[in-house]
Amino acid sequence: MNARESRPRPAERSEADTRRRIILATAGLLQQQGYESTSVKSIAAAAAASPSSVYHFFPGGKQQLAIEAMRHGAQEFAELLTEGLSSSADPAEATAACALIIADSLKQSEWADGCPVAVTALETVGRVPGLQEAAIQALTHWQGLVTAKLESSGIAPSAARSLAGTVISTLEGAELLSRVTADDTPLQDAAVHLAQLVRASPRS
């Protein structure tokens, strides 16, 4: 197969674009109004698609859509973390950078584009197993990214994993506070205190 033949056809590109629009619309609605208040009809309207198109790509309906939206949000948050963690060889500075990058991202979106993972998981915990599992996978992945950075600085694996959990908890909480208040102060404060915490951690 030559390069020209391997390129996606216009119809394939159109389908991929429609699918992505639906996922992005779902993520946005989950952030703004939560799982229970979001319907397939409202997702279709936000994505400029028909309800039949939504079910074509996501036959599992709202639950499948929410899982895909959470995965999308989890990947975006992971990319922010990766950007911050790779910004400095110093793990304290890198951890602080994560909070500052999240703050910049929120401000650019006018406080609208927070990660849908935690909000959706809390609303549906114990009632929608697929969403809970998607949230667990996201949190585990994020914690793993931070753990690897901390271990690279000489912090023992068990201590690094525990500290990484605190980092993720702090970032998630500070992001929520910043969105609610439309003020990046909680994330700015988190940057300062997380850097202090990482610097104080004993090295093996």
Side-chain angles (χ1 to χ4, degrees), residues 117-178:
V117 173
V119 175
T120 306
L122 286 173
E123 186 183 1
T124 60
V125 66
R127 298 187 295 107
V128 189
L131 298 185
Q132 186 171 351
E133 181 59 32
I136 291 170
Q137 290 175 358
L139 293 167
T140 300
H141 179 50
W142 300 340
Q143 188 172 0
L145 293 174
V146 179
T147 298
K149 182 67 175 185
L150 298 176
E151 283 188 29
S152 71
S153 70
I155 299 176
S158 60
R161 182 161 186 80
S162 177
L163 179 55
T166 300
V167 170
I168 296 301
S169 298
T170 302
L171 291 175
E172 283 286 287
E175 182 190 45
L176 176 61
L177 287 172
S178 288

Side-chain angles (χ1 to χ4, degrees), residues 9 48 61-62 83 94 107 185 204:
R9 297 174 182 176
K62 186 168 78 168
E83 181 182 350
K107 284 192 291 185
T185 299
S204 57

Side-chain angles (χ1 to χ4, degrees), residues 10-32:
E12 293 172 340
R13 289 198 298 270
S14 178
E15 285 203 347
D17 290 343
T18 300
R19 189 179 189 279
R20 178 173 173 78
R21 282 205 321 273
I22 292 169
I23 292 173
L24 292 176
T26 304
L29 290 173
L30 290 177
Q31 292 163 358
Q32 295 164 16

Side-chain angles (χ1 to χ4, degrees), residues 50-63:
S50 65
S52 61
S53 294
V54 173
Y55 282 111
H56 168 72
F57 292 108
F58 304 97
K62 186 168 78 168
Q63 181 175 338

